């Protein structure tokens, strides 16, 4: 990007944990679009005398994310109080974790579009609670007001912080995408950024090349170089905006430095309309949160048996499958990525592959390649048409594997098989039924020739056009032949035979 | 109906010698008569109506506190009944939920006759910090009741209710009980739920009964003790029927440890003599006395001051005028709004403690103060626990003096800590303790206290009952 500067990015991601209850009380955690202040209780609204009761499932979700990122899981869970005054913080402190995060020193590999891998180190993943929602407004008489809705207060939040090792806007985008995929995969969050279920806050700085290093997760200057301050960007509403915001900010910072302006450590907000970052507040001095262990929640022991059980609940991870697909089965980066895009697609693919191996004796590589082609090709196209997921278009893994097997056995050409797939989806007819109503494959070349002759006889104009040089007409003639045979002939063979006849 | 204990009142009602309404009216009259003591902040204006209803229903289900007028310290959330913590910042706050303990006594058909006065937010040992006026000692109105559960202690000793609920962080049940001639039981931390009680020192607060007799304290404890799903710090250990299991004979052969450090403290001479008599009395009862050494109480004082104020500064953060309590001025920015609410609503004492606690937790100082304090706390607690290998219970004077005056309280910021010096160590360790009346010095009551290992409430009550039987 720049010749003079390195870009250093750390991502701070908050993920709303998908649990039934809030983090410290039994109010529902599903608050989206509920009438304001109807999803509250003494605990999450911070009434005098209320006490927190930790949500076990939320803690397990956090641990699972730690396990899935090869993090070290703390032997004991300790919550700390993080103090600051703000209208959306009912107790005047947030129950969070300070220096004993539940998970630490993890890693996650991200891929760029070409499939180049990069391992991103994760500093920590910890458990905390969400704050209330505050909305600014102006009354009819011009007075400004802030309205607070406590429905969201106390919802379990997982905070993940990377080390400052991302180096480009696309890194940030790819990491955010990978985390979103992972938390959905694990079933611990829906991570819909528009609903606030996942929030990304990049911390960005630019430093002169060769004048800095990372030591123990901190960016340090070399020699007497003075580090440029970092900027935190908030209010980013989508993953594409993450990339845009980082790119904008890097450019803005470099511009400021080169025009001699002094940078300050600050918080900026992303403006999705203007596509710029806007100054929010200065962060010259680190805020003192006066952390101390929350006396209302004694230390919780995390036992080995808990870890073992949680490990067993974690399905095969996308990274494991990706490695298997690309290294063992030699699928392309793109194909492998489509197969693991989400758990439903992946489960569908796995079931199909298993089916092919067990019922139809495909080799593992064959089954992978075949299923991959079907999913990334026709199924993906259909899913786009229907604006739904690949596994939701109405094809079962059983149906797909039957179709594949039928094609392999020569019961129908590939083109016909694809056609059946589309018919099954659009007319909601099961594959089995369509296969049963198939005619016979026309493979005998003399048979094809005789049908081809008929087609040529019935399409004099097309033949004339072809002979006068309009070679693309052949596709129309092929189409006619396919129609006559109800698609039960290999289109390439059909084309060959027609051409042979036309040249006679 | 004069000076009836809780267990006596149960019998009177059961035998239909008095009605619930009569008993309730009796206390309402007395409260009015003695309102200069200022023991109550709020009287339950529905008390009589509730009493009538209970009379007409009768007690066929055998509720254990049927119709008994009980006073509740104004730090417990009581649904529908104003809860102020003796602070202007909550002078119009009516909780929408009940604390676990008050819910338990209401489930047993008790009548909450009123909310008793206290040091504001439990900060103190006199009630002189209350925004609703000081509570006077019924034995000498020039003196204070002690605190922070001063109103609760007076409501019992001036016979303004059948029994009281108080709370103790470090001395707040035992000290006013000693000064007002009541029995005050501080259970083990975690024995009784704190849910709904306005938090002062979250790692210290222990709700408990203040009563006329040891039997009453045992009876009430049986009802309020136990694990609570709403309080993660409560213990899963089973409770007992402490009342039914009372056995004063357990005192025979018990070893009582008397800490030398309690005796070498600056005790008023009268207290010293009074305590020596208590020691002899226990020997008469068959107990063995052993003089032991514990860590100097000055360490407990320092640790308690730091730890408690740190927790206080955190626990008082929620009073910002946005959801309950006195509102600030709406035209301001949020931080100014908070400042105006808290500036107006809190008096000197909470402000003092918030500032000290905030300082002790702040970056650059928290290692030196808060964290160090917690480390020393563990040493104090371990030291105390180890003593129970040599002795069964610890015996000591409850307070170094009898009731002092309000001036003495107000003019010394560490008044409370010094008055509680004999209670702080056990509170920091979470240990249970009881103060029982031991006569008078110049007309002012004085108590002695027994402290036990965790969850030894039964043994403490047994020993206390034996003593009560002897001296009364």
């Amino acid at each position: 990007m720049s010749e003079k500067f390195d870009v250093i990015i750390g991502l701070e991601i908050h993920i709303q944990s998908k649990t039934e209850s809030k983090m410290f009380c039994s109010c529902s955690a599903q608050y989206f679009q509920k009438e304001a202040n109807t999803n509250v209780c003494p605990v999450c609204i911070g009434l005098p005398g209320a006490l927190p009761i930790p949500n076990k499932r939320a803690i397990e979700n956090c641990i699972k994310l730690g396990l899935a990122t090869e993090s070290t899981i703390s032997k004991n869970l300790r919550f700390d109080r993080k103090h600051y005054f703000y209208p959306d913080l009912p107790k005047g402190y947030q129950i969070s974790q300070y220096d004993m995060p539940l998970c630490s020193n993890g890693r996650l590999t991200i891929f760029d579009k070409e499939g180049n891998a990069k391992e991103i180190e994760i500093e920590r993943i910890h458990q905390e609670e969400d704050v209330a929602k505050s909305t600014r407004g102006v009354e009819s008489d011009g007075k400004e007001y802030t309205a607070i809705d406590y429905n969201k207060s106390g919802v379990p939040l997982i905070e993940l912080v990377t080390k400052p090792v991302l180096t480009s806007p696309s890194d940030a985008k790819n990491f955010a995408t990978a985390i979103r995929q992972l938390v959905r995969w694990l079933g611990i969050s829906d991570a819909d950024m528009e609903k606030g279920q996942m929030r990304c806050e990049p911390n960005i700085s630019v430093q002169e090349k060769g004048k800095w290093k990372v030591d123990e997760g901190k960016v340090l200057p070399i020699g007497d170089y003075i580090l440029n301050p970092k900027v935190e960007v908030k209010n980013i509403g989508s993953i594409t905006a993450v990339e845009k915001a980082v790119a904008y900010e890097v450019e803005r910072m470099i511009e400021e430095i080169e025009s001699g302006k002094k940078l300050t450590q600050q918080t900026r907000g992303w403006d999705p309309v203007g596509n710029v970052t806007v100054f929010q507040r200065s962060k010259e001095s680190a805020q003192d949160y006066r952390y101390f262990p929350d006396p209302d929640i004694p230390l919780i022991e995390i036992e080995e048996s808990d870890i073992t059980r949680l490990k067993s609940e974690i399905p095969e991870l996308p990274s494991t499958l990706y490695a298997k697909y690309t290294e063992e089965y030699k699928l392309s980066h793109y194909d492998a990525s489509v197969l693991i895009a989400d758990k439903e697609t992946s489960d569908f693919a796995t079931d199909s592959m298993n089916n092919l191996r067990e019922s139809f004796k495909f080799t593992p590589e064959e089954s992978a390649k075949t299923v991959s082609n079907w999913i990334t090709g026709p199924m993906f196209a259909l899913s786009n048409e229907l604006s739904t997921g690949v596994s939701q278009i109405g094809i079962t893994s059983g149906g797909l594997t039957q179709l594949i097997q039928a094609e392999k056995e020569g019961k129908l050409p590939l083109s016909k098989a694809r056609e059946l797939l589309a018919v099954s989806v659009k007319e909601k007819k099961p594959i089995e039924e369509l296969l049963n109503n198939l005619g016979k494959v026309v493979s005998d070349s003399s048979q094809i020739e005789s049908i081809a002759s008929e087609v040529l006889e019935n399409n004099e104009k097309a033949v004339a056009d072809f002979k006068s040089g309009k070679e693309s007409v052949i596709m129309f003639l092929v189409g006619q032949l396919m129609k006559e045979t109800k698609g039960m002939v290999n289109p390439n063979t059909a084309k060959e035979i027609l051409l042979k006849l036309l040249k006679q | 109906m004069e000076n009836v204990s809780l267990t006596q009142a149960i019998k009177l009602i059961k035998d239909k010698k008095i009605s619930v309404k009569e008993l309730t009216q009796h206390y309402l009259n007395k409260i009015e008569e003695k309102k200069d003591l200022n023991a109550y902040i709020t009287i339950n204006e529905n008390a009589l109506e509730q009493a009538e209803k209970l009379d007409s229903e009768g007690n066929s289900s055998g509720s254990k506190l049927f119709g008994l007028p009980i006073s509740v310290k104004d730090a417990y959330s009581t649904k529908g009944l104003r809860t102020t913590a003796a602070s202007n910042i909550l002078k119009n706050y009516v909780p929408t939920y009940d604390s676990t303990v008050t819910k338990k006594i209401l489930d047993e058909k008790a009548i909450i006759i009123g909310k008793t006065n206290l040091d504001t937010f439990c900060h103190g040992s006199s009630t002189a910090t209350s925004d609703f006026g000081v509570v006077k000692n019924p034995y000498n109105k020039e003196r204070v009741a002690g605190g922070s559960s001063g109103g609760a202690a007076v409501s019992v000793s001036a016979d303004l209710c059948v029994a009281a609920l108080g709370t103790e962080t470090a001395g707040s049940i035992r000290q006013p009980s000693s000064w007002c001639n009541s029995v005050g039981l501080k259970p083990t931390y975690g024995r009784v739920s704190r849910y709904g009680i306005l938090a002062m020192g979250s790692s210290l607060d222990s709700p408990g009964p203040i009563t006329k007799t040891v039997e009453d304290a045992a009876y009430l404890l049986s009802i309020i003790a136990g694990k609570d799903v709403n309080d993660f710090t409560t213990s899963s250990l089973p409770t007992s029927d402490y009342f039914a299991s009372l056995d004063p004979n357990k005192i025979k052969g018990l070893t009582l440890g008397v800490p030398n450090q309690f005796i070498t403290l600056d005790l008023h001479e009268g207290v010293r003599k009074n305590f020596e008599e208590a020691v002899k009395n226990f020997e008469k009862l068959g107990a063995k006395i052993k003089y032991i050494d514990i860590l100097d109480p000055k360490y407990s004082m320092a640790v308690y001051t730091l730890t408690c104020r740190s927790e206080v500064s955190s626990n008082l953060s929620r009073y910002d005028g946005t959801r309950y309590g006195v509102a600030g001025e709406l035209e301001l920015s949020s931080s100014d709004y908070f400042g105006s609410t808290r500036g107006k609503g809190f008096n000197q004492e909470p402000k003092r403690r918030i500032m000290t606690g905030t300082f002790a937790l702040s970056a650059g100082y928290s290692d030196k103060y808060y964290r160090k304090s917690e480390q020393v706390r563990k040493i104090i607690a371990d030291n105390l626990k180890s003593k129970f290998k040599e002795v069964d219970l610890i015996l000591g004077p409850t307070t170094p003096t009898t009731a002092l005056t309000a001036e003495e309280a107000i003019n010394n910021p560490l008044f409370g800590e010094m008055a509680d010096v004999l209670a702080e160590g056990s509170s920091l360790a979470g240990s249970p303790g009881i103060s029982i009346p031991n006569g008078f010095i110049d007309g002012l009551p004085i108590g002695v206290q027994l402290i036990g290992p965790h969850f030894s409430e039964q043994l403490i009550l047994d020993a206390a009952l034996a003593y009560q039987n002897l001296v009364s």
Side-chain angles (χ1 to χ4, degrees):
Chain A
M1 272 184 73
S2 157
E3 289 190 350
K4 189 172 171 205
F5 293 101
D6 284 326
V7 175
I8 306 175
I9 305 162
L11 263 187
E12 192 178 298
I13 300 181
H14 286 92
I15 297 146
Q16 269 186 354
S17 202
K18 188 177 175 181
T19 54
E20 293 221 7
S21 314
K22 290 186 176 182
M23 187 62 216
F24 295 110
C25 65
S26 50
C27 288
S28 168
Q30 314 311 316
Y31 65 89
F32 194 66
Q33 290 181 334
K34 278 193 185 155
E35 192 189 329
N37 293 316
T38 55
N39 190 44
V40 296
C41 76
V43 177
C44 57
I45 210 168
L47 288 189
L51 294 174
I53 305 293
N55 179 332
K56 184 171 183 203
R57 180 107 291 247
I59 294 168
E60 291 183 341
N61 283 350
C62 186
I63 294 176
K64 278 189 185 173
L65 185 56
L67 291 171
T69 52
E70 300 174 60
S71 306
T72 306
I73 310 296
S74 176
K75 296 228 181 316
N76 289 299
L77 170 53
R78 195 186 77 206
F79 284 106
D80 300 298
R81 294 186 183 180
K82 177 181 182 182
H83 301 83
Y84 60 95
F85 286 99
Y86 206 67
D88 64 8
L89 192 63
K91 299 186 292 296
Y93 60 85
Q94 179 197 37
I95 300 178
S96 176
Q97 293 197 275
Y98 179 47
D99 53 2
M100 229 169 86
L102 188 48
C103 319
S104 51
N105 294 319
R107 68 213 63 256
L108 188 66
T109 303
I110 62 176
F111 296 90
D112 66 14
K113 277 201 292 271
E114 285 80 47
N116 300 311
K118 188 169 181 177
E119 191 180 79
I120 304 298
E121 287 172 85
I122 296 170
E123 173 78 45
R124 54 188 282 152
I125 306 174
H126 75 244
Q127 184 67 60
E128 57 182 36
E129 55 173 347
D130 209 346
V131 298
K133 177 167 136 185
S134 70
T135 319
R136 291 244 167 92
V138 182
E139 306 220 84
S140 46
D141 58 1
K143 286 206 182 133
E144 287 179 26
Y145 68 83
T146 305
I148 319 281
D149 174 10
Y150 294 90
N151 285 349
K152 176 161 89 59
S153 166
V155 166
L157 223 50
I158 296 171
E159 179 176 320
L160 181 151
V161 183
T162 70
K163 296 202 175 164
V165 296
L166 301 157
T167 59
S168 65
S170 62
D171 270 0
K173 180 194 77 166
N174 293 333
F175 186 82
T177 307
I179 288 291
R180 183 177 62 179
Q181 175 198 42
L182 184 57
V183 299
R184 287 177 176 172
W185 196 277
L186 295 169
I188 65 182
S189 174
D190 288 337
D192 184 340
M193 279 183 78
E194 267 143 55
K195 290 186 181 163
Q197 295 166 346
M198 180 167 127
R199 302 159 210 166
C200 294
E201 285 165 15
N203 279 280
I204 310 154
S205 75
V206 294
Q207 310 295 348
E208 281 181 45
K209 285 189 196 282
K211 303 249 178 92
W212 64 278
K213 62 181 178 187
V214 176
D215 192 15
E216 304 224 336
K218 282 202 156 74
V219 176
L220 298 171
I222 295 177
D224 52 7
Y225 175 68
I226 298 174
L227 287 174
N228 290 317
K230 62 181 175 185
V231 168
E232 175 190 31
V233 182
K234 285 179 168 323
N235 197 41
I236 300 176
S238 69
I239 294 199
T240 31
V242 171
E243 189 174 19
K244 276 196 219 171
V246 173
Y248 175 86
E249 193 48 32
V250 166
E251 209 184 291
R252 184 194 73 83
M253 286 197 284
I254 293 178
E255 229 180 85
E256 299 245 320
I257 296 174
E258 306 212 298
S259 60
K261 294 205 193 115
K262 186 171 185 296
L263 286 182
T264 53
Q265 186 159 329
Q266 57 187 266
T267 300
R268 298 178 72 86
W270 175 248
D271 169 11
V273 174
N275 284 309
V276 296
T277 62
V278 175
F279 174 79
Q280 279 186 356
R281 60 184 174 276
S282 169
K283 277 189 100 170
E284 283 304 342
S285 52
Q287 190 159 355
D288 180 8
Y289 293 112
R290 286 175 276 117
Y291 287 101
F292 76 98
D294 193 335
D296 291 329
I297 309 175
L299 218 56
I300 298 170
E301 201 187 327
I302 313 271
E303 293 176 36
E304 268 311 309
S305 53
D306 290 320
I307 303 282
T308 310
R309 173 179 53 87
L310 292 172
K311 270 189 189 155
S312 72
E313 288 176 19
I314 295 177
E316 212 172 1
L317 292 175
S319 51
T320 316
L321 288 168
Y322 180 88
K324 192 159 63 170
Y325 291 153
T326 50
E327 288 161 29
E328 271 182 63
Y329 305 148
K330 315 285 185 223
L331 296 186
S332 71
H333 163 74
Y334 175 79
D335 284 357
S337 304
V338 173
L339 291 184
I340 61 167
D342 58 74
K343 184 121 196 322
E344 292 73 28
T345 305
S346 175
D347 286 347
F348 179 89
T350 307
D351 287 345
S352 304
M353 291 180 207
N354 287 341
N355 251 336
L356 287 178
R357 294 208 303 270
E358 283 154 33
S359 308
F360 302 118
K361 312 295 178 215
F362 276 55
T363 67
E365 250 186 80
E366 268 184 300
S367 68
K369 198 91 199 107
T370 314
V371 169
S372 168
N373 288 340
W374 276 92
I375 290 180
T376 60
M379 289 187 75
F380 195 76
L382 281 166
S383 77
N384 277 341
E385 256 186 72
L386 299 172
S387 300
T388 184
V390 158
S391 57
Q392 266 109 41
I393 59 176
I395 302 289
T396 63
S397 58
L400 177 67
T401 48
Q402 283 195 348
L403 192 60
I404 292 172
Q405 179 62 8
E407 192 269 327
K408 186 174 178 198
E409 287 172 359
K411 289 205 181 120
L412 73 171
L414 187 59
S415 51
K416 182 70 179 176
R418 285 202 201 111
E419 192 189 300
L420 281 195
L421 184 85
V423 168
S424 172
V425 168
K426 291 181 184 167
E427 297 179 21
K428 300 202 201 309
K429 292 197 177 136
I431 299 261
E432 292 82 341
E433 187 190 308
L434 296 172
L435 283 175
N436 286 337
N437 295 337
L438 272 183
K440 278 204 152 60
V441 165
V442 183
S443 53
D444 178 64
S445 39
S446 53
Q447 213 187 343
I448 301 176
E449 261 193 51
S450 98
I451 303 174
S453 305
E454 258 186 64
V455 166
L456 292 180
E457 266 173 46
N458 295 333
N459 289 284
E460 286 176 11
K461 182 171 189 300
V463 172
D465 284 344
F466 181 82
K467 292 199 167 149
S468 65
K470 206 167 162 200
E471 299 210 350
S472 57
V473 163
I474 187 68
M475 294 322 295
F476 167 75
L477 292 167
V478 168
Q480 292 301 101
L481 205 160
M482 300 301 286
K483 215 165 126 190
E484 287 302 312
T485 58
K486 297 201 199 324
M488 290 305 276
V489 72
N490 185 312
N492 291 329
T493 317
K495 187 174 170 194
E496 270 173 41
I497 289 179
L498 280 165
L499 283 173
K500 179 175 122 189
L501 291 178
L502 282 166
K503 291 195 167 124
Q504 280 172 355
Chain B
M1 286 183 289
E2 284 297 318
N3 283 310
V4 291
S5 71
L6 181 146
T7 48
Q8 285 170 337
I10 289 176
K11 193 160 194 311
L12 286 173
I13 290 175
K14 184 164 178 232
D15 295 344
K16 299 213 198 292
K17 299 247 171 80
I18 54 174
S19 68
V20 173
K21 183 176 175 190
E22 282 172 315
L23 188 61
T24 306
Q25 185 67 69
H26 168 75
Y27 286 121
L28 288 171
N29 294 343
K30 287 197 82 173
I31 290 169
E32 178 59 33
E33 224 179 272
K34 299 200 182 171
K35 66 179 183 206
D36 62 329
L37 293 177
N38 204 22
Y40 285 84
I41 294 178
T42 305
I43 305 296
N44 175 9
E45 33 184 53
N46 298 321
L48 222 44
E49 195 187 304
Q50 287 163 3
E52 281 172 2
K53 189 159 178 279
L54 287 176
D55 276 331
S56 72
E57 282 171 5
N59 191 13
S60 51
S61 48
S63 301
K64 299 192 187 130
L65 295 173
F66 184 83
L68 299 179
I70 294 180
S71 77
V72 173
K73 180 178 186 180
D74 209 11
Y76 287 75
S77 296
T78 42
K79 184 172 175 179
L81 187 57
R82 182 174 74 154
T83 300
T84 67
S87 173
N88 279 325
I89 209 171
L90 290 179
K91 68 181 177 207
N92 54 11
Y93 172 61
V94 179
T96 49
Y97 77 111
D98 261 310
S99 66
T100 296
V101 169
T102 50
K103 182 170 190 303
K104 281 183 167 183
I105 68 169
L106 288 173
D107 283 348
E108 295 295 343
K109 306 273 170 76
I111 293 179
I112 296 178
I113 193 150
K115 307 299 289 297
T116 53
N117 203 349
L118 60 152
D119 280 292
T120 192
F121 284 105
C122 306
H123 299 333
S125 307
S126 61
T127 66
T129 67
S130 168
D131 280 338
F132 292 83
V134 73
V135 178
K136 296 198 176 125
N137 195 308
Y139 294 91
N140 180 337
K141 295 185 192 173
E142 312 282 301
R143 306 289 171 121
V144 297
S148 59
S149 312
V154 167
S155 73
V156 162
S157 80
D159 193 28
L160 305 174
C161 66
V162 133
L165 287 176
T167 66
E168 171 158 336
T169 306
S172 291
I173 284 178
R174 290 176 276 174
Q175 186 248 32
S177 299
S178 170
W179 285 6
C180 293
N181 204 42
S182 308
V183 172
L185 173 67
K186 177 217 171 286
T188 310
Y189 177 82
R191 178 77 290 181
V192 182
S193 171
R194 292 180 297 120
Y195 181 70
I197 297 174
L198 277 55
M200 186 216 185
S202 308
S203 70
L204 297 153
D205 295 342
S206 305
I210 297 179
T211 55
K212 297 170 189 174
T213 66
V214 173
E215 292 96 326
D216 289 355
Y219 192 88
L220 257 182
L221 182 66
S222 303
I223 293 167
I224 63 176
K227 178 152 181 70
D228 183 16
V229 293
N230 288 317
D231 179 350
F232 203 63
T233 60
T234 49
S235 166
S236 317
L237 284 179
T239 59
S240 338
D241 186 337
Y242 301 99
F243 176 73
S245 310
L246 276 172
D247 182 7
N249 289 319
K250 287 260 159 57
I251 190 72
K252 298 200 176 83
L254 220 54
T255 305
L256 302 179
V258 176
N260 290 315
Q261 287 73 15
F262 280 10
I263 314 220
T264 54
L265 214 60
D266 195 8
L267 302 174
H268 279 199
E269 207 40 52
V271 173
R272 188 178 298 284
K273 284 222 310 260
N274 178 283
F275 180 65
E276 280 161 14
E277 279 167 34
V279 171
K280 291 200 190 98
N281 280 335
F282 272 107
E283 283 175 315
K284 262 194 238 168
L285 287 168
K288 282 191 289 237
I289 304 293
K290 183 173 182 190
Y291 289 88
I292 57 173
D293 282 308
I294 57 168
L295 279 178
D296 192 329
K298 74 178 178 200
Y299 296 119
S300 298
M301 208 191 303
V303 167
Y304 171 73
T305 306
L306 267 174
T307 292
C308 190
R309 277 156 179 62
S310 301
E311 291 180 7
V312 159
S313 73
S314 175
N315 286 327
L316 292 185
S317 301
R318 63 187 65 193
Y319 301 99
D320 56 19
T322 55
R323 291 146 287 139
Y324 44 80
V326 146
E329 293 154 39
L330 281 171
E331 311 289 328
L332 306 172
S333 71
S334 67
S335 53
D336 289 338
Y337 180 86
F338 289 4
S340 82
T341 308
R342 294 159 72 80
K344 246 184 2 189
F346 286 140
N347 72 35
Q348 279 274 65
E349 193 57 38
K351 282 179 182 164
R352 198 182 261 155
R353 296 192 184 211
I354 290 168
M355 289 201 288
T356 316
T358 305
F359 174 76
L361 287 173
S362 55
Y365 297 101
S366 74
D367 281 337
K368 186 171 162 187
Y369 294 114
Y370 181 78
R371 274 159 221 281
K372 182 127 265 169
S373 180
E374 282 295 280
Q375 286 167 346
V376 178
R377 178 181 184 171
K378 182 153 196 320
I379 296 173
I380 293 169
D382 289 343
N383 175 263
L384 194 64
K385 284 192 190 124
S386 69
K387 298 302 153 187
F388 291 115
K389 296 199 179 103
E390 303 170 39
V391 304
D392 297 305
L393 297 175
I394 286 173
L395 170 67
T398 309
T399 49
T401 68
T402 52
L404 299 178
T405 64
E407 283 64 46
E408 284 167 296
I410 301 247
N411 293 331
N412 183 353
L414 280 183
F415 171 87
E417 279 63 34
M418 286 168 50
D420 293 326
V421 66
L422 299 168
E424 276 143 10
S426 53
S427 290
L428 288 173
S431 308
I434 195 169
S435 175
I436 38 185
N438 194 40
F440 297 82
I441 302 169
D442 297 331
L444 287 169
I446 187 70
V448 290
Q449 69 169 326
L450 291 162
I451 297 165
H454 283 204
F455 304 108
S456 63
E457 284 83 3
Q458 189 68 65
L459 189 61
I460 288 172
L461 288 161
D462 291 339
L465 181 58
Y467 194 84
Q468 174 189 280
N469 290 343
L470 180 70
V471 298
S472 44

